Structures are given as C-alpha cells and as structure tokens.
Amino acid sequence: MPILYDSEACIFRLDAGKFSYAFCVDEHGALIHLYCGAHISDTALSYLKFPLWLSSFSPNPPGGETQPFTLDSALQEYPQNGTGDYRLAAIAIRGENGSTATSLRYRSHTIRKGKYTLPGMPAVYAADNEAETLDILMEDPLTGAEVHLLYGILEEYSAITRAAVIRNAGSAPFWIEKAASACVDFNRMDFDLVHLYGQWAQERQICRTPLSHEIRSIASKRGSSSHNHNPFAALAGKYTDETHGEAYGFSLIYSGNFAIETECDAYNSTRLVMGINPIDFEWKLAPGESFATPEAVMAFSDEGLGGMSRTFHHLYRRHLCRGEWKEKIRPILVNNWEATYFDFDEEKLCAIARDAADLGIEMLVMDDGWFGKRNDDRCSLGDWVVNEQKLKGGLASLVERINQMGLKFGIWFEPEMISPDSDLFRSHPDWVLCAPGREPSIARTQYVLDMTRSEVRDYLFDAISAILSSANIAYVKWDFNRNLTEAASAALPPERRKETFHRYVLGLYSLLERLTSAYPHILFEGCSGGGGRFDPAMLYYSPQIWTSDDTDAIERCRIQYGTSMVYPPSSISAHVSASPNHQTGRDTSFETRGNVAMAGAFGYELDLTKLTSEEKALVRKQVAQYHAYAPLVQDGDFYRLLSPFENENGCAWMSVSADQNEALVTFIVPRTRVNFTSYLRLAGLDPVKKYRVGENGPVLSGDTLMNAGLNLSQKWKDGDSLLLHLVAE
Ligand code: GLA
C-alpha cells in the first residue's frame, strides 16, 4: 500500500518508489510535516516533530496558551497566512471582512485507487491500478473555505504529485490571494538550490548555489513559464553530484506565471512553496465554486541529480505526454525557417523536399510566412488563410506534391497572437489582451490575443481546423513569440481582472485540448521563440518542444544539458543547422552538429539544396544513425557525464537501454587545449556485462567502463565530437 494511515497516531505515510513522505494531524487539527526523503520503514514518526519553543513573538493559536505550540516553527503541509506562521504561506484567502488571516483545520480524508485529475488542467495520469490518491480535507469555518490537499502516487516512481482544490462552501464570496500547489518543510537547510535560468536563445542554464537564511524566489511574471526561469527547482545535498547523494526535485506542471520560493529560518529549517505566482493573481470564488491549483511533482533520488532527472523523464514521457506520438519514434523533419526565413514559395519548398526525400528525411515543415500577406514579422498574425500568391495552387496541392515525394507535411502557427496589420485586428480590435484605458505594449510588431475569451478561442479553433482539414497535415508547430503585458482582460469585471493571467493559461489549455483531440494523428510541437515555454504542461499537449532558437551545436550542449535536468530527450527538439551558425556565427563540423542533435527529437533546419555531396553523404549517415539509435535515446535512461557548465573543454552524456545491452555515448569538445586529457567514466551500464565500444573498438566490461572509463586523451580540435555506440556481447 503506497498510502498508509495510522489512525491512532493520525499519521500519513506515503511511499513512492524509493521515496517516503510523512505527516500527521496534530491535536489542534494542524497538518504537521514529519518526513520527506529516502524510503523508511516506520510509521511511528511523531518523535520527529520539530521542537516548539514558547516565545511571545511566535504566538500560539487561540486556546493554545497553556501548551507550547506555535505554528511559527512547526513544519507544516500547507501553511496559512496571517495566523501565527510568519514564513512563506501556501495559502492566503481574503474573506468578506477584508482580512487575509487564514486558518485551516483538518476535517477528514479519503484514500482511493487511481490518480486524481484536475479538470481543464494538465496533470500526470495513470490507470486506476497504477496509482493511489490521498485527499485531505481542511476547512476554515469563518470563510467557508474547504481545501482538498491532493497527493498522487504511482508506486513505481520515486515521485509524489500534489495539488490543492479550494471550494467555497460558505455563503459569501471570498478571494484567493495565494494558493500554492505544494509546500514542503525540511528540518534542515544544508542544501544547494539548483535551478534553470536563461534568456532567448540561451535557455535552461544550470545554476547551483547554497541556501542561506533568506527568502529566494524563482519565478515568472511574463504570462508564460518563460525563457528566463523554468518551473523547476531542486534541493541537493552539499555533496550530491550527478550519480551520488540525495536530490529533491520540484517541477510545476504549468505554463503561466509561477513562483518557487524557498525560505530558511532562524531554526535552520527550509520551506519550499511552489505554485501560481501570487503577484498579479487573485481569484474570486463565489459560494459553491471551486478553484484548482496546477499540479506540482516532487521527485526524490538518492542517486544524485541524474536519478532525479531519470524519474522525471520516465514519468513525464509515460504519464504526462499523451496521444499517438508519445512513445513513437518521431519522424526526421526538415524545417525551412533557417533555410529560407520568410522568402519561400512552393517551388523552393518542393526543391528542399525533393532533396529531403532523396536523403531519407521524413517530413517537411513549412514555418512562418505561409498565411495572410506575411513576408516579414510585421503583419498577418491572426489571418490563418493561405497566401496563394506565395503558395500557388494552394496548400492542398503543395501537400500533395510533398506527400507524393514520400514526405509527411508539417505547418507552423502562432495562434495566440494578432498583428495590428491584420484583417483580424481590423475586424476585432477588442480581441487584443489589454487593460481597459491602456495602450497595449507591442513586441515583434504583435499583440497578444485575449485567450480568456471563448469567442477568441472559437475563432482560433475554426481557423486552425479549416487549415488542418484542408490538407494532409501530420505536424503542427505551435509558436508563441512574445510575453504578456497589460494583462487585465476587458472581458472580465474589474474585481476579476487579476484572474487574467491564469484564465489566459486555462484558455490556452482548453484550445489545445480541443485541437489535439480533434486531430489525434497530428504530432504537435510546442515552441516559444525557441524554448520560452518549455514546461511540463506543454508536454501534455505536445510531446516535443523546440528547445531553443539557438541551433549552434556548442551552445546547444549547455541548453540541452540543462533541459535534461527535467525533460526527457524525446521532448527535446534538436536540429542540424547551417554553418557558420546563424545565431553565433560559429563554424562547427557537420558531424558535431549531427551528434548534438541526435540526443533529441532529430531534424534539419537548413537549405538541403545547398549542401555539398560530402554533406549529403553525412546526412544519409545521420539518418541511418537516428533510425538505429532513436529508440535508445528516446526511451533509454539518460546520464549526464561531463557538465559544460563546469568544464570549458568537454561535455558528455549517454543513453542506456532498459536491458542495459546497448548505450550511446556523446562526447563534445567545445574548446580544445594543448595536451588534452580526458578520462570519461560512463554510467548506468551492467557492471558484469562486456560491451564492444564502437564498431571495431575494444571489448570492456561495464565495471571497467564505469570506474576506469574511456581514455579520450587525444588531439581534438575546437568543436570536435564523438558518438560511440556500445553493445553488450
Ligand atoms: C520563433 C521560432 C522559430 C521560428 C520563428 C518564426 O522564433 O522559435 O523557430 O518558427 O519564430 O517566426
């Protein structure tokens, strides 16, 4: 039983894989946290309660004067604002009386088979026999707020999912000012905080710093999860590395404004609170209404950050990604963006497709510029009608020609946007997301559509459906190229305008749900100026995401390495582009560009008609390699071996098949040096199996490869790389 309840001691113990988690209901009805970490066997854990000191500056709850009890130092499951705990709160509800003092007490709980769902929102899913749910009901008699704390366990995975559903069971409305998805209190603070920061074309850079006595926040206020911070953080033990030590990963399944906050207090305890960013958020809940938070996923590993990542990879690939494509090997595509930018017509596309077919590439993706009168980024977003001057004969005939060459066809959309110079804007200027009375800020000559409005979503559904039904379309790239501003929907009454950011995201999810259900055969790829919305929620709708607009193989080492902290290789779209690279101007060999892209959902992003015959031969080789290695890369266990954030001269990772009979090692030398030495110790192999290293290489046992490693000390040039396939004999 993954969820145990000791009714005498009122203790809950949750066991998920190698992860145990425990808390209790105390005599005041507060939910007191007891344990979070490696698997333990006991349930009688009350002795772990954090010592509670009496101090007039840490007040006792009403009626508690005689007992040494204060919420201010207690470790808690879901701390409330304004009633004696001065640390970060998980929830703050403003009642009709104007006060945000919130006080929840345990009322009941249920343990049931199956995993809870969150209507309208992405969440981990599982068959009823694979999962269990714990549902704890807390209540605040004054406001009538009922809070369901939900815990989901898929026994195989060292991870626990969490969410809170708040219901107004009272007779007057109240306002939710903050509602976290999860809070975890630790009775220690000897952790490093690991998180992923970045910018456009430089997403998910790894940052690791020790916690100290302060409040920290990793957050987005941009209306999307953003290039700048990813909805992920890990707490890692001081000596935790990729393969050893404990790591606690926290990932939020959400695409909007989020905050992951940590606070270390004077008692050296650590609180982590994660959920919707409370800044610019408020939600009015009328009697009878419910509000659900997004889902948080906590993963525990005692095999370092690598173990934590592998738990996220498998969980997200199998229980978050959906649809026909989730476990299928993705087609090798060629995207025309960096090949032509806006300057293309049907003949140019067909010329690329002809070469693609000849080289074994499986799909042509037509990127931005096929609709309205769009020849640059200054017009036509919203006018999802084929530009027949550019694509003479229309879309159906183009797709037919491409299909006849043996290729699938994919297409680009940026549905959430509207250009001021568009027919859509001329007929519906009011559909622009903007605070009443303000001028909308403009970015890339575009405004954002008000996705909170059902008429906007209906228009988009119809316009996109008309295109998708008009031709044999196999793939959609869903882009989003700016962030939100003046986000206060005119369609909402003033007292609900702070709901806009969240309603925008719910609107986006509802449109994505409709389209992905209506077109189940289409492979959707998420995108936001590269990886500006690379988050678990988008994986629920699109099993792969364009990782970055930076296609430089050397820059991609860091970007893909950082992305792999949470996201499975099958979700990481990676393309071979031209050299010199369009973003950095760097020259990198064709082999290295292929080797780096081979670690994800593979494709090309260049003009194939301009390749030399040697390069074409290399494309053929890469296509064959992808067919041979993709199952291993997309569903294997991923190990980061050598961090480009810690080494200027080397970066390495590997994938190992579930049966440990096969592995693929990637080694890149971003910058060489004289007398270059490198001994690369592998991971994840079976110590007693013998592996042939490369086609004609030596045969070495797993323990030798993992402990002594490979000797890669040789003369490398800047940007050289190596792809080594290991097969057990
Ligand atoms: C974004 C995407 C690119 C490309 C352009 C088109 O930047 O990340 O891949 O689709 O938009 O405008």
Side-chain angles (χ1 to χ4, degrees):
M1 286 285 286
I3 300 174
L4 284 174
Y5 178 59
D6 173 341
S7 55
E8 259 169 46
C10 300
I11 292 179
F12 296 93
R13 202 185 89 211
L14 284 56
D15 294 315
K18 294 166 147 188
F19 183 12
S20 290
Y21 188 92
F23 55 94
C24 66
V25 185
D26 79 351
E27 53 280 21
H28 307 272
L31 280 194
I32 302 297
H33 180 80
L34 295 172
Y35 179 74
C36 174
H39 181 268
I40 54 174
S41 309
D42 291 303
T43 309
L45 298 169
S46 307
Y47 78 95
L48 286 172
K49 271 192 193 169
F50 208 68
L52 309 159
W53 291 282
L54 268 184
S55 148
S56 57
F57 290 92
S58 288
N60 305 146
E65 295 85 352
T66 51
Q67 286 169 316
F69 176 69
T70 170
L71 290 167
D72 201 23
S73 59
L75 304 190
Q76 295 182 72
E77 275 305 287
Y78 203 64
Q80 301 113 54
N81 181 63
T83 43
D85 183 341
Y86 296 101
R87 294 164 293 176
L88 294 165
I91 186 165
I93 289 179
R94 191 176 77 245
E96 260 210 319
N97 65 1
S99 156
T100 53
T102 308
S103 178
L104 299 173
R105 291 294 171 263
Y106 167 89
R107 191 169 84 194
S108 62
H109 73 269
T110 55
I111 296 171
R112 54 181 186 262
K113 281 259 152 258
K115 160 83 179 41
Y116 63 87
T117 55
L118 298 171
M121 268 194 297
V124 165
Y125 62 88
D128 279 355
N129 59 0
E130 292 175 317
E132 258 187 27
T133 292
L134 168 63
D135 179 341
I136 305 237
L137 176 58
M138 313 273 288
E139 65 181 0
D140 182 350
L142 180 66
T143 55
E146 290 184 346
V147 179
H148 290 264
L149 299 181
L150 300 171
Y151 298 78
I153 291 183
L154 281 70
E155 229 177 322
E156 255 188 73
Y157 297 86
S158 299
I160 297 175
T161 69
R162 293 183 58 180
V165 176
I166 301 160
R167 198 176 87 85
N168 186 342
S171 51
F174 59 70
W175 290 261
I176 303 167
E177 293 196 355
K178 181 176 187 182
S181 302
C183 165
V184 188
D185 279 354
F186 294 87
N187 55 12
R188 46 185 279 217
M189 59 172 281
D190 52 340
F191 289 120
D192 287 344
L193 178 67
V194 181
H195 65 103
L196 304 170
Y197 73 98
Q199 57 165 319
W200 173 79
Q202 205 179 88
E203 297 89 339
R204 290 168 298 285
Q205 310 287 298
I206 298 174
C207 175
R208 178 172 179 162
T209 47
L211 287 181
S212 59
H213 291 98
E214 60 191 349
I215 291 177
R216 296 229 195 128
S217 173
I218 296 153
S220 166
K221 296 198 296 171
R222 294 174 167 266
S224 78
S225 45
S226 88
H227 299 87
N228 309 63
H229 291 287
N230 200 258
F232 159 78
L235 296 179
K238 291 278 163 217
Y239 304 105
T240 294
D241 59 18
E242 276 299 328
T243 38
H244 301 98
E246 49 181 353
Y248 301 82
F250 302 92
S251 166
L252 188 69
I253 304 180
Y254 192 54
S255 309
N257 291 351
F258 72 91
I260 302 179
E261 304 164 282
T262 56
E263 176 169 5
C264 296
D265 66 10
Y267 309 118
N268 301 336
S269 71
T270 302
R271 171 167 291 173
L272 183 142
V273 178
M274 65 195 291
I276 293 176
N277 193 333
I279 294 176
D280 287 335
F281 169 81
E282 185 173 281
W283 195 275
K284 181 180 176 186
L285 209 62
E289 286 181 349
S290 290
F291 175 87
T293 70
E295 181 163 270
V297 181
M298 322 186 290
F300 170 77
S301 158
D302 57 5
E303 289 169 37
L305 291 163
M308 172 203 75
S309 298
R310 286 185 289 281
T311 295
F312 281 128
H313 292 177
H314 292 306
L315 184 69
Y316 285 176
R317 179 153 152 81
R318 298 181 189 143
H319 295 278
L320 184 62
C321 293
R322 296 178 303 167
E324 287 180 15
W325 283 99
K326 79 169 190 174
E327 309 224 40
K328 272 201 206 157
I329 299 303
R330 312 290 159 64
I332 303 176
L333 62 83
V334 56
N335 178 305
N336 77 308
W337 178 241
E338 288 195 21
T340 66
Y341 295 99
F342 292 102
D343 182 19
F344 64 88
D345 59 15
E346 79 286 1
E347 292 311 329
K348 241 189 203 176
L349 294 178
C350 284
I352 294 176
R354 256 190 304 278
D355 278 0
D358 178 49
L359 296 169
I361 292 169
E362 296 152 315
M363 179 157 74
L364 175 92
V365 174
M366 177 172 69
D367 210 280
D368 193 355
W370 56 267
F371 52 92
K373 53 183 179 67
R374 189 158 166 100
N375 288 314
D376 55 40
D377 62 10
R378 285 175 299 186
C379 73
S380 300
L381 291 170
D383 297 345
W384 301 112
V385 177
V386 179
N387 178 347
E388 296 209 7
Q389 285 179 343
K390 223 168 179 174
L391 302 181
K392 296 191 186 63
L395 187 62
S397 109
L398 171 66
V399 177
E400 236 172 77
R401 280 175 74 184
I402 304 283
N403 285 169
Q404 269 162 15
M405 295 177 204
L407 257 64
K408 295 176 192 293
F409 184 87
I411 194 168
W412 179 97
F413 285 96
E414 196 181 356
E416 299 151 75
M417 298 295 159
I418 177 167
S419 305
D421 180 5
S422 67
D423 292 341
L424 186 67
F425 183 77
R426 282 181 282 275
S427 51
H428 291 289
D430 54 319
W431 283 7
V432 170
L433 179 67
C434 191
R438 296 234 171 257
E439 277 277 305
S441 300
I442 193 148
R444 208 192 189 208
T445 338
Q446 63 198 55
Y447 299 137
V448 183
L449 280 170
D450 185 348
M451 296 293 288
T452 72
R453 298 168 77 134
S454 60
E455 61 275 32
V456 169
R457 300 195 298 267
D458 289 345
Y459 164 78
L460 290 172
F461 180 80
D462 292 344
I464 295 169
S465 297
I467 295 291
L468 298 184
S469 309
S470 72
N472 183 23
I473 288 169
Y475 158 109
V476 164
K477 177 173 171 188
W478 185 293
D479 212 338
F480 172 82
N481 278 318
R482 62 159 288 181
N483 287 132
L484 277 51
T485 50
E486 296 84 25
S489 172
L492 293 169
E495 87 267 18
R496 283 192 178 274
R497 294 233 162 96
K498 284 177 92 178
E499 297 175 13
T500 303
F501 274 112
H502 184 55
R503 284 187 185 275
Y504 181 97
V505 177
L506 295 179
L508 167 66
Y509 293 158
S510 104
L511 179 60
L512 280 165
E513 186 67 38
R514 266 172 92 183
L515 281 163
T516 51
S517 325
Y519 298 93
H521 308 305
I522 292 184
L523 168 61
F524 281 77
E525 172 159 325
C527 178
S528 169
R533 203 160 56 182
F534 204 126
D535 59 57
M538 292 313 287
L539 287 185
Y540 192 67
Y541 304 102
S542 56
Q544 62 188 52
I545 300 176
W546 181 226
T547 312
S548 178
D549 274 347
D550 195 335
T551 55
D552 176 307
I554 301 305
E555 287 295 293
R556 275 295 186 117
C557 287
R558 284 172 167 240
I559 295 168
Q560 293 178 196
Y561 200 93
T563 303
S564 78
M565 197 55 83
V566 190
Y567 305 99
S570 57
S571 68
I572 299 177
S573 279
H575 298 170
V576 174
S577 64
S579 185
N581 177 267
H582 292 191
Q583 293 80 39
T584 61
R586 187 188 274 122
D587 267 312
T588 313
S589 72
F590 209 90
E591 286 89 341
T592 292
R593 284 177 269 152
N595 290 347
V596 172
M598 200 66 66
F602 182 74
Y604 292 86
E605 178 112 7
L606 40 69
D607 190 346
L608 295 170
T609 64
K610 298 206 173 115
L611 295 186
T612 62
S613 50
E614 290 79 42
E615 287 171 328
K616 284 188 171 166
L618 288 169
V619 173
R620 285 200 177 86
K621 183 174 167 204
Q622 289 168 351
V623 166
Q625 284 176 326
Y626 177 78
H627 287 305
Y629 304 148
L632 173 57
V633 170
Q634 297 196 5
D635 201 32
D637 285 323
F638 186 80
Y639 292 84
R640 289 178 294 268
L641 301 177
L642 193 58
S643 169
F645 296 95
E646 290 161 21
N647 305 281
E648 266 198 320
N649 316 106
C651 167
W653 55 69
M654 70 186 283
S655 300
V656 183
S657 62
D659 60 10
Q660 292 172 302
N661 280 338
E662 221 192 323
L664 187 72
V665 178
T666 309
F667 174 72
I668 305 117
V669 181
R671 253 173 79 137
T672 194
R673 54 193 329 189
V674 279
N675 296 331
F676 187 100
T677 55
S678 178
Y679 293 87
L680 185 68
R681 300 205 290 163
L682 306 189
L685 300 173
D686 182 334
V688 299
K689 281 186 180 154
K690 300 259 182 211
Y691 295 89
R692 179 167 296 283
V693 182
E695 234 167 83
N696 305 311
V699 175
L700 291 167
S701 55
D703 57 7
T704 306
L705 289 164
M706 292 193 288
N707 295 310
L710 296 169
N711 184 356
L712 300 176
S713 312
Q714 65 182 67
K715 265 198 172 172
W716 297 98
K717 291 198 296 302
D718 280 0
D720 275 352
S721 66
L722 182 71
L723 198 64
L724 270 181
H725 188 214
L726 275 65
V727 183
E729 298 248 290

